[in-house]
Amino acid sequence: MEKKMQKYLRSVRRRLNMPKVLKDRVMADFTESIEARIEDGQKEESIFSELGMPKQAAEELNRQMEAYTYRKSPWRFLFAAA
């Protein structure tokens, strides 16, 4: 796996808003789909332009897995301060 793809995948992973176990599964599937596209002859640049910037790709994955994502609560600051 090239450095550019590894960097892209790490960046997407950092932006996922879900439990680690689910994040691992989602990223395994996401990586597998990219690798399948490469095996089919599609260039990395083309794949990344279709998926968008890492932030966009992560937002789409978070949207698809919305039922499993963490919800931000206004109480989080209170608990963080305590």
Side-chain angles (χ1 to χ4, degrees):
M1 196 179 317
E2 283 191 35
K3 279 189 175 188
K4 185 176 180 179
M5 187 161 115
Q6 289 176 344
K7 183 178 177 182
Y8 182 86
L9 292 171
R10 276 193 312 270
S11 188
V12 169
R13 182 183 177 82
R14 270 194 315 270
R15 290 172 170 86
L16 293 180
N17 185 27
M18 56 191 73
K20 183 188 179 316
V21 173
L22 185 59
K23 191 184 286 192
D24 291 342
R25 277 190 22 215
V26 168
M27 286 307 298
D29 290 344
F30 188 65
T31 303
E32 195 175 294
S33 72
I34 291 173
E35 289 172 346
R37 288 173 159 194
I38 291 171
E39 287 176 13
D40 288 342
Q42 193 173 359
K43 302 283 184 199
E44 281 187 14
E45 295 80 23
S46 172
I47 296 168
F48 296 147
S49 68
E50 285 178 24
L51 295 172
M53 299 298 292
K55 181 180 178 181
Q56 293 170 310
E59 286 173 353
E60 177 61 22
L61 291 169
N62 283 325
R63 188 190 62 72
Q64 290 175 11
M65 302 300 290
E66 188 172 5
Y68 303 100
T69 59
Y70 293 126
R71 289 171 183 45
K72 293 185 179 176
S73 166
W75 294 98
R76 70 187 183 274
F77 296 113
L78 177 66
F79 293 116

Coordinates of all heavy atoms in Angstrom, one line a residue:
M1 N 0.9 -1.2 0.0 CA 0.0 0.0 0.0 C 0.9 1.2 0.0 O 1.8 1.3 0.8 CB -0.9 0.0 1.2 CG -2.0 0.9 1.2 SD -3.1 0.9 2.6 CE -3.4 -0.8 3.0
E2 N 0.6 2.2 -0.9 CA 1.4 3.4 -1.0 C 1.2 4.3 0.2 O 0.2 4.3 0.9 CB 1.0 4.1 -2.3 CG 1.6 3.5 -3.5 CD 1.5 4.4 -4.7 OE1 1.6 5.6 -4.6 OE2 1.3 3.8 -5.8
K3 N 2.2 5.2 0.4 CA 2.1 6.1 1.5 C 0.9 7.0 1.4 O 0.3 7.4 2.4 CB 3.4 6.9 1.6 CG 4.6 6.2 2.3 CD 5.7 7.2 2.5 CE 6.8 6.5 3.3 NZ 7.8 7.4 3.7
K4 N 0.6 7.5 0.2 CA -0.5 8.4 0.0 C -1.8 7.8 0.4 O -2.6 8.4 1.1 CB -0.5 8.8 -1.5 CG -1.6 9.9 -1.8 CD -1.5 10.3 -3.3 CE -2.5 11.4 -3.5 NZ -2.5 11.8 -4.9
M5 N -2.0 6.5 0.1 CA -3.2 5.8 0.5 C -3.2 5.6 2.0 O -4.3 5.8 2.6 CB -3.3 4.5 -0.3 CG -4.7 3.8 0.0 SD -5.0 2.6 -1.3 CE -5.1 1.1 -0.2
Q6 N -2.1 5.2 2.6 CA -2.1 5.1 4.0 C -2.4 6.4 4.7 O -3.2 6.3 5.7 CB -0.7 4.6 4.4 CG -0.4 3.1 4.0 CD 1.0 2.7 4.4 OE1 1.9 3.6 4.7 NE2 1.3 1.4 4.4
K7 N -1.9 7.4 4.2 CA -2.1 8.8 4.9 C -3.6 9.1 4.7 O -4.2 9.6 5.7 CB -1.3 9.8 4.2 CG -1.4 11.2 4.8 CD -0.5 12.2 4.1 CE -0.7 13.6 4.7 NZ 0.1 14.6 4.0
Y8 N -4.2 8.8 3.6 CA -5.6 9.1 3.3 C -6.5 8.3 4.3 O -7.4 8.8 4.9 CB -5.9 8.8 1.9 CG -7.4 9.1 1.5 CD1 -7.7 10.3 1.0 CD2 -8.3 8.1 1.5 CE1 -9.0 10.6 0.7 CE2 -9.6 8.4 1.2 CZ -10.0 9.7 0.7 OH -11.3 9.9 0.4
L9 N -6.2 7.0 4.4 CA -6.9 6.1 5.3 C -6.8 6.5 6.7 O -7.8 6.5 7.5 CB -6.5 4.7 5.1 CG -6.9 4.1 3.7 CD1 -6.2 2.7 3.5 CD2 -8.4 4.0 3.5
R10 N -5.6 6.9 7.2 CA -5.4 7.3 8.6 C -6.3 8.6 8.8 O -6.9 8.8 9.9 CB -4.0 7.6 8.9 CG -3.2 6.4 9.3 CD -1.8 6.8 9.8 NE -1.1 7.7 9.1 CZ -0.2 7.4 8.1 NH1 0.0 6.2 7.8 NH2 0.4 8.4 7.4
S11 N -6.3 9.5 7.9 CA -7.0 10.7 8.0 C -8.5 10.5 8.1 O -9.2 11.1 8.9 CB -6.6 11.7 6.8 OG -7.2 12.9 7.0
V12 N -9.0 9.6 7.3 CA -10.4 9.2 7.3 C -10.7 8.6 8.6 O -11.7 9.0 9.3 CB -10.8 8.3 6.2 CG1 -12.2 7.7 6.4 CG2 -10.7 9.0 4.8
R13 N -9.9 7.7 9.1 CA -10.2 7.0 10.3 C -10.2 7.9 11.5 O -11.1 7.8 12.4 CB -9.1 6.0 10.6 CG -9.3 5.1 11.8 CD -8.1 4.2 12.1 NE -8.3 3.5 13.3 CZ -9.0 2.4 13.4 NH1 -9.7 1.9 12.4 NH2 -9.2 1.8 14.6
R14 N -9.3 8.9 11.6 CA -9.4 9.9 12.7 C -10.7 10.6 12.8 O -11.1 11.1 13.9 CB -8.2 10.9 12.5 CG -6.9 10.6 13.1 CD -6.0 11.7 13.2 NE -5.9 12.6 12.0 CZ -5.1 12.4 11.0 NH1 -4.2 11.4 11.0 NH2 -5.1 13.2 9.9
R15 N -11.3 10.8 11.7 CA -12.6 11.6 11.6 C -13.8 10.8 11.9 O -14.9 11.3 11.9 CB -12.7 12.3 10.3 CG -11.6 13.4 10.2 CD -11.6 14.0 8.8 NE -10.8 15.2 8.7 CZ -9.5 15.2 8.5 NH1 -8.8 14.1 8.4 NH2 -8.9 16.4 8.4
L16 N -13.7 9.5 12.0 CA -14.9 8.6 12.2 C -15.3 8.8 13.7 O -14.5 8.8 14.6 CB -14.6 7.2 11.9 CG -14.3 6.8 10.4 CD1 -14.0 5.3 10.3 CD2 -15.5 7.3 9.6
N17 N -16.6 8.9 13.8 CA -17.2 9.2 15.1 C -18.0 8.0 15.6 O -19.2 8.0 15.6 CB -18.1 10.4 15.0 CG -18.7 10.9 16.3 OD1 -18.1 10.6 17.3 ND2 -19.8 11.5 16.2
M18 N -17.3 6.9 15.9 CA -18.0 5.6 16.3 C -17.0 4.8 17.2 O -15.8 5.1 17.2 CB -18.4 4.8 15.1 CG -17.3 4.5 14.1 SD -17.8 3.9 12.5 CE -18.5 5.3 11.7
P19 N -17.6 3.8 17.9 CA -16.7 3.0 18.7 C -15.6 2.3 17.9 O -15.7 2.0 16.7 CB -17.7 1.9 19.3 CG -19.0 2.5 19.1 CD -19.0 3.4 17.9
K20 N -14.5 2.0 18.6 CA -13.3 1.5 18.0 C -13.6 0.2 17.2 O -13.1 0.0 16.1 CB -12.2 1.2 19.0 CG -10.9 0.7 18.4 CD -9.9 0.3 19.4 CE -8.6 -0.3 18.9 NZ -8.7 -1.2 17.8
V21 N -14.3 -0.7 17.8 CA -14.6 -2.0 17.1 C -15.3 -1.7 15.8 O -15.0 -2.3 14.8 CB -15.5 -2.9 18.0 CG1 -15.9 -4.1 17.3 CG2 -14.7 -3.2 19.3
L22 N -16.3 -0.9 15.8 CA -17.0 -0.6 14.6 C -16.1 0.2 13.6 O -16.2 -0.1 12.4 CB -18.3 0.2 14.9 CG -19.2 0.5 13.7 CD1 -19.7 -0.8 13.1 CD2 -20.4 1.3 14.2
K23 N -15.3 1.1 14.1 CA -14.4 1.9 13.3 C -13.5 0.9 12.5 O -13.2 1.1 11.4 CB -13.6 2.8 14.2 CG -12.8 3.8 13.4 CD -12.0 4.7 14.3 CE -12.8 5.7 15.1 NZ -12.0 6.7 15.7
D24 N -13.0 -0.1 13.3 CA -12.1 -1.1 12.6 C -12.8 -1.8 11.5 O -12.2 -2.0 10.4 CB -11.6 -2.2 13.7 CG -10.7 -1.6 14.7 OD1 -10.1 -0.5 14.5 OD2 -10.5 -2.2 15.8
R25 N -14.0 -2.2 11.7 CA -14.8 -2.9 10.6 C -15.1 -2.0 9.5 O -14.9 -2.4 8.3 CB -16.1 -3.4 11.2 CG -16.0 -4.8 11.9 CD -17.3 -5.4 12.3 NE -18.5 -5.1 11.5 CZ -19.7 -5.0 12.0 NH1 -19.9 -5.3 13.3 NH2 -20.7 -4.7 11.3
V26 N -15.5 -0.8 9.7 CA -15.8 0.1 8.6 C -14.5 0.4 7.8 O -14.5 0.4 6.6 CB -16.4 1.5 9.2 CG1 -16.4 2.5 8.2 CG2 -17.8 1.2 9.8
M27 N -13.4 0.6 8.5 CA -12.2 0.9 7.8 C -11.7 -0.3 7.0 O -11.1 -0.1 5.9 CB -11.1 1.4 8.8 CG -11.3 2.8 9.3 SD -11.5 4.1 7.9 CE -10.0 4.0 7.1
A28 N -11.9 -1.5 7.5 CA -11.5 -2.7 6.8 C -12.3 -2.8 5.5 O -11.7 -3.0 4.4 CB -11.7 -3.9 7.7
D29 N -13.6 -2.6 5.6 CA -14.4 -2.6 4.4 C -14.0 -1.5 3.4 O -14.0 -1.7 2.2 CB -15.9 -2.5 4.8 CG -16.4 -3.7 5.5 OD1 -15.7 -4.8 5.4 OD2 -17.5 -3.6 6.1
F30 N -13.8 -0.3 4.0 CA -13.4 0.9 3.1 C -12.1 0.6 2.4 O -12.0 0.9 1.2 CB -13.4 2.1 4.0 CG -13.2 3.4 3.3 CD1 -14.2 3.9 2.5 CD2 -12.1 4.2 3.5 CE1 -14.1 5.1 1.8 CE2 -11.9 5.4 2.9 CZ -12.9 5.9 2.0
T31 N -11.1 0.1 3.1 CA -9.8 -0.2 2.5 C -10.0 -1.3 1.5 O -9.4 -1.2 0.4 CB -8.8 -0.6 3.6 OG1 -8.7 0.4 4.6 CG2 -7.5 -0.9 3.1
E32 N -10.7 -2.3 1.8 CA -11.0 -3.4 0.8 C -11.6 -2.9 -0.5 O -11.2 -3.3 -1.6 CB -11.8 -4.4 1.5 CG -11.9 -5.8 0.8 CD -12.7 -6.8 1.6 OE1 -12.2 -7.1 2.7 OE2 -13.7 -7.2 1.1
S33 N -12.5 -2.0 -0.3 CA -13.2 -1.4 -1.5 C -12.2 -0.6 -2.4 O -12.3 -0.7 -3.6 CB -14.4 -0.6 -1.2 OG -14.1 0.6 -0.6
I34 N -11.4 0.1 -1.7 CA -10.4 0.9 -2.5 C -9.4 0.0 -3.2 O -9.0 0.2 -4.4 CB -9.6 1.9 -1.5 CG1 -10.6 3.0 -1.1 CG2 -8.4 2.5 -2.2 CD1 -10.0 3.9 0.0
E35 N -8.9 -1.0 -2.5 CA -8.0 -2.0 -3.1 C -8.6 -2.8 -4.2 O -7.9 -3.0 -5.2 CB -7.5 -3.0 -2.0 CG -6.6 -2.3 -1.0 CD -6.2 -3.2 0.2 OE1 -6.9 -4.2 0.4 OE2 -5.2 -2.9 0.9
A36 N -9.9 -3.1 -4.1 CA -10.6 -3.7 -5.2 C -10.6 -2.8 -6.5 O -10.5 -3.3 -7.6 CB -12.0 -4.1 -4.8
R37 N -10.9 -1.5 -6.2 CA -10.9 -0.6 -7.4 C -9.5 -0.5 -8.0 O -9.4 -0.5 -9.3 CB -11.3 0.8 -6.9 CG -12.7 0.9 -6.5 CD -12.9 2.3 -5.9 NE -14.3 2.7 -6.0 CZ -14.7 3.9 -5.7 NH1 -13.9 4.9 -5.4 NH2 -16.0 4.2 -5.8
I38 N -8.5 -0.5 -7.2 CA -7.1 -0.5 -7.8 C -6.8 -1.7 -8.6 O -6.2 -1.7 -9.7 CB -6.1 -0.3 -6.6 CG1 -6.2 1.1 -6.0 CG2 -4.6 -0.5 -7.1 CD1 -5.4 1.4 -4.8
E39 N -7.2 -2.9 -8.1 CA -7.0 -4.2 -8.8 C -7.8 -4.2 -10.1 O -7.4 -4.8 -11.1 CB -7.5 -5.3 -7.9 CG -6.6 -5.7 -6.8 CD -7.1 -6.8 -5.9 OE1 -8.1 -7.5 -6.3 OE2 -6.5 -6.9 -4.8
D40 N -8.9 -3.4 -10.2 CA -9.7 -3.3 -11.4 C -9.1 -2.3 -12.4 O -9.6 -2.1 -13.5 CB -11.2 -2.9 -11.1 CG -11.9 -4.1 -10.5 OD1 -11.5 -5.2 -10.5 OD2 -13.0 -3.8 -9.9
G41 N -8.0 -1.7 -12.0 CA -7.3 -0.8 -12.9 C -7.5 0.7 -12.7 O -7.0 1.5 -13.4
Q42 N -8.3 1.0 -11.7 CA -8.6 2.4 -11.4 C -7.4 3.1 -10.7 O -6.8 2.4 -9.8 CB -9.9 2.6 -10.6 CG -10.4 4.0 -10.6 CD -11.8 4.1 -9.9 OE1 -12.3 3.1 -9.4 NE2 -12.3 5.2 -9.8
K43 N -7.0 4.3 -11.1 CA -5.9 4.9 -10.5 C -6.3 5.5 -9.1 O -7.4 5.9 -8.9 CB -5.4 6.1 -11.4 CG -5.0 5.7 -12.8 CD -3.6 5.0 -12.7 CE -3.2 4.7 -14.1 NZ -2.2 3.7 -14.2
E44 N -5.3 5.6 -8.2 CA -5.6 6.1 -6.9 C -6.1 7.5 -6.9 O -7.0 7.9 -6.2 CB -4.3 6.1 -6.0 CG -4.0 4.8 -5.5 CD -2.8 4.8 -4.5 OE1 -2.4 5.9 -4.0 OE2 -2.3 3.7 -4.2
E45 N -5.5 8.4 -7.8 CA -6.0 9.8 -7.9 C -7.5 9.8 -8.2 O -8.2 10.7 -7.7 CB -5.2 10.5 -8.9 CG -3.7 10.7 -8.5 CD -2.9 9.5 -8.8 OE1 -3.3 8.7 -9.7 OE2 -1.8 9.3 -8.2
S46 N -7.9 9.0 -9.1 CA -9.3 8.9 -9.6 C -10.2 8.5 -8.4 O -11.3 9.0 -8.2 CB -9.4 7.9 -10.7 OG -10.8 7.7 -11.1
I47 N -9.7 7.5 -7.7 CA -10.5 7.0 -6.5 C -10.7 8.1 -5.5 O -11.8 8.3 -5.0 CB -9.8 5.7 -5.9 CG1 -9.8 4.6 -6.9 CG2 -10.5 5.3 -4.6 CD1 -8.9 3.4 -6.5
F48 N -9.5 8.7 -5.1 CA -9.6 9.8 -4.1 C -10.4 11.0 -4.6 O -11.1 11.6 -3.7 CB -8.2 10.3 -3.8 CG -7.3 9.2 -3.1 CD1 -6.0 9.1 -3.3 CD2 -7.9 8.2 -2.3 CE1 -5.2 8.1 -2.7 CE2 -7.1 7.2 -1.7 CZ -5.8 7.2 -1.9
S49 N -10.4 11.3 -5.8 CA -11.3 12.4 -6.3 C -12.8 12.0 -6.2 O -13.6 12.9 -5.9 CB -10.9 12.8 -7.7 OG -11.2 11.9 -8.7
E50 N -13.1 10.8 -6.5 CA -14.5 10.3 -6.3 C -14.9 10.3 -4.9 O -16.1 10.7 -4.6 CB -14.6 8.9 -6.9 CG -14.6 8.8 -8.4 CD -14.8 7.4 -8.9 OE1 -15.3 6.5 -8.1 OE2 -14.3 7.1 -10.0
L51 N -14.0 9.9 -4.0 CA -14.4 9.8 -2.6 C -14.4 11.1 -1.9 O -15.0 11.3 -0.9 CB -13.4 8.8 -1.8 CG -13.5 7.4 -2.3 CD1 -12.3 6.6 -1.6 CD2 -14.8 6.8 -1.9
G52 N -13.6 12.0 -2.4 CA -13.4 13.4 -1.9 C -12.3 13.4 -0.9 O -11.6 12.4 -0.6
M53 N -12.2 14.6 -0.3 CA -11.1 14.8 0.8 C -11.5 13.8 1.9 O -12.6 13.4 2.1 CB -11.1 16.2 1.3 CG -10.8 17.2 0.2 SD -9.2 17.0 -0.5 CE -8.2 17.5 0.9
P54 N -10.5 13.5 2.8 CA -10.7 12.6 3.9 C -11.9 13.0 4.8 O -12.7 12.2 5.2 CB -9.4 12.6 4.7 CG -8.4 12.9 3.6 CD -9.1 13.8 2.7
K55 N -12.0 14.3 5.0 CA -13.1 14.8 5.8 C -14.5 14.5 5.2 O -15.4 14.0 5.8 CB -13.0 16.3 5.9 CG -14.1 16.9 6.8 CD -13.9 18.4 6.9 CE -15.0 19.0 7.8 NZ -14.9 20.5 7.9
Q56 N -14.6 14.6 3.8 CA -15.8 14.3 3.1 C -16.1 12.8 3.2 O -17.3 12.4 3.4 CB -15.7 14.7 1.7 CG -15.7 16.2 1.5 CD -15.3 16.6 0.1 OE1 -14.4 16.1 -0.5 NE2 -16.1 17.5 -0.5
A57 N -15.1 12.0 3.0 CA -15.3 10.5 3.0 C -15.7 10.1 4.4 O -16.6 9.3 4.5 CB -14.0 9.8 2.6
A58 N -15.1 10.7 5.4 CA -15.5 10.3 6.8 C -16.9 10.8 7.1 O -17.6 10.0 7.8 CB -14.5 10.9 7.8
E59 N -17.3 12.0 6.7 CA -18.6 12.4 6.9 C -19.7 11.5 6.3 O -20.7 11.2 6.8 CB -18.8 13.9 6.4 CG -18.1 14.9 7.2 CD -18.2 16.3 6.6 OE1 -18.6 16.4 5.4 OE2 -17.7 17.2 7.3
E60 N -19.3 11.0 5.1 CA -20.2 10.1 4.4 C -20.3 8.8 5.2 O -21.4 8.2 5.3 CB -19.8 9.8 3.0 CG -20.6 8.8 2.2 CD -22.1 9.2 2.0 OE1 -22.4 10.4 2.1 OE2 -22.9 8.3 1.8
L61 N -19.2 8.2 5.6 CA -19.2 7.0 6.4 C -20.0 7.2 7.7 O -20.7 6.3 8.1 CB -17.8 6.5 6.7 CG -17.0 6.0 5.4 CD1 -15.6 5.8 5.8 CD2 -17.6 4.7 4.9
N62 N -19.7 8.3 8.4 CA -20.5 8.6 9.6 C -22.0 8.7 9.3 O -22.8 8.3 10.1 CB -20.0 9.9 10.2 CG -18.7 9.8 11.0 OD1 -18.4 8.7 11.6 ND2 -17.8 10.8 10.9
R63 N -22.3 9.3 8.2 CA -23.8 9.4 7.9 C -24.4 8.0 7.6 O -25.5 7.8 8.1 CB -23.9 10.3 6.6 CG -25.4 10.6 6.3 CD -25.6 11.3 5.0 NE -25.1 10.4 3.9 CZ -25.8 9.4 3.4 NH1 -26.9 9.0 4.0 NH2 -25.3 8.7 2.4
Q64 N -23.6 7.2 6.9 CA -24.1 5.8 6.7 C -24.3 5.0 7.9 O -25.1 4.2 8.0 CB -23.2 5.1 5.7 CG -23.2 5.7 4.3 CD -22.2 5.0 3.4 OE1 -21.6 4.0 3.7 NE2 -22.0 5.6 2.2
M65 N -23.4 5.3 8.9 CA -23.4 4.6 10.2 C -24.0 5.4 11.3 O -23.7 5.2 12.5 CB -22.0 4.1 10.5 CG -21.3 3.3 9.5 SD -22.2 1.7 9.1 CE -21.9 0.8 10.6
E66 N -24.9 6.3 11.0 CA -25.4 7.3 11.9 C -26.0 6.7 13.2 O -25.8 7.2 14.3 CB -26.5 8.2 11.3 CG -26.9 9.3 12.1 CD -27.8 10.2 11.3 OE1 -28.2 10.0 10.2 OE2 -28.2 11.3 11.9
A67 N -26.6 5.5 13.1 CA -27.2 4.9 14.2 C -26.2 4.4 15.2 O -26.5 4.2 16.4 CB -28.1 3.7 13.8
Y68 N -24.9 4.3 14.8 CA -23.9 3.8 15.7 C -22.8 4.9 16.1 O -21.9 4.6 16.8 CB -23.1 2.7 14.9 CG -24.0 1.5 14.5 CD1 -24.5 1.4 13.2 CD2 -24.4 0.6 15.5 CE1 -25.3 0.4 12.9 CE2 -25.3 -0.4 15.1 CZ -25.7 -0.5 13.8 OH -26.5 -1.5 13.4
T69 N -23.0 6.1 15.6 CA -22.0 7.1 15.9 C -22.3 7.7 17.3 O -23.4 7.6 17.8 CB -22.1 8.3 14.9 OG1 -23.4 8.8 14.8 CG2 -21.7 7.8 13.5
Y70 N -21.2 8.3 17.8 CA -21.4 8.9 19.1 C -22.1 10.2 18.9 O -22.0 10.9 17.9 CB -20.0 9.3 19.7 CG -19.1 8.1 20.1 CD1 -17.8 8.0 19.6 CD2 -19.6 7.1 21.0 CE1 -17.1 6.9 19.9 CE2 -18.8 6.1 21.3 CZ -17.5 5.9 20.8 OH -16.8 4.9 21.2
R71 N -23.0 10.5 19.9 CA -23.7 11.7 19.9 C -23.1 12.7 20.8 O -22.7 12.4 22.0 CB -25.2 11.5 20.3 CG -25.9 10.8 19.2 CD -27.3 10.3 19.6 NE -28.0 9.5 18.6 CZ -27.6 8.5 17.9 NH1 -26.4 8.2 17.9 NH2 -28.4 7.9 17.1
K72 N -22.9 13.9 20.3 CA -22.2 15.0 21.2 C -23.3 15.6 22.1 O -24.3 16.0 21.6 CB -21.6 16.0 20.3 CG -20.4 15.5 19.6 CD -19.7 16.6 18.8 CE -18.5 16.0 18.1 NZ -17.8 16.9 17.3
S73 N -23.0 15.5 23.3 CA -23.9 16.0 24.3 C -23.4 17.4 24.9 O -22.2 17.5 25.1 CB -24.1 15.0 25.5 OG -24.7 15.6 26.6
P74 N -24.3 18.3 25.2 CA -23.8 19.6 25.8 C -23.3 19.3 27.2 O -22.5 20.1 27.7 CB -25.1 20.4 25.8 CG -26.2 19.5 25.6 CD -25.7 18.3 24.9
W75 N -23.6 18.2 27.8 CA -23.1 17.8 29.1 C -21.6 17.4 29.1 O -21.0 17.3 30.1 CB -24.0 16.7 29.7 CG -25.4 17.1 29.9 CD1 -26.4 16.9 29.1 CD2 -25.8 17.9 31.0 NE1 -27.6 17.5 29.7 CE2 -27.2 18.1 30.9 CE3 -25.3 18.4 32.2 CZ2 -28.0 18.8 31.8 CZ3 -26.0 19.1 33.1 CH2 -27.4 19.3 32.9
R76 N -21.1 17.1 27.9 CA -19.7 16.6 27.9 C -18.7 17.6 28.5 O -17.7 17.2 29.1 CB -19.3 16.2 26.4 CG -19.1 17.4 25.5 CD -18.9 16.9 24.1 NE -18.6 18.0 23.1 CZ -19.6 18.7 22.5 NH1 -20.9 18.4 22.7 NH2 -19.3 19.6 21.7
F77 N -19.0 18.9 28.4 CA -18.1 19.9 28.9 C -18.1 19.9 30.5 O -17.1 20.0 31.1 CB -18.4 21.3 28.4 CG -18.1 21.4 26.9 CD1 -19.2 21.6 26.0 CD2 -16.9 21.2 26.4 CE1 -19.0 21.7 24.7 CE2 -16.6 21.3 25.0 CZ -17.7 21.5 24.2
L78 N -19.3 19.7 31.0 CA -19.5 19.6 32.4 C -18.7 18.4 33.0 O -18.0 18.5 34.0 CB -21.0 19.5 32.8 CG -21.3 19.3 34.3 CD1 -20.9 20.6 35.0 CD2 -22.8 19.0 34.5
F79 N -18.8 17.3 32.4 CA -18.2 16.1 32.9 C -16.7 16.2 32.6 O -15.9 15.7 33.4 CB -18.7 14.8 32.2 CG -20.1 14.5 32.6 CD1 -21.1 14.5 31.7 CD2 -20.4 14.2 33.9 CE1 -22.5 14.2 32.0 CE2 -21.7 14.0 34.3 CZ -22.7 14.0 33.4
A80 N -16.2 16.8 31.6 CA -14.8 17.0 31.3 C -14.2 17.9 32.4 O -13.1 17.7 32.8 CB -14.6 17.6 29.9
A81 N -14.9 18.9 32.8 CA -14.5 19.8 33.8 C -14.4 19.2 35.2 O -13.6 19.6 36.0 CB -15.3 21.1 33.9
A82 N -15.2 18.2 35.4 CA -15.3 17.6 36.8 C -14.1 16.6 36.9 O -13.2 16.5 37.4 CB -16.6 16.8 36.9

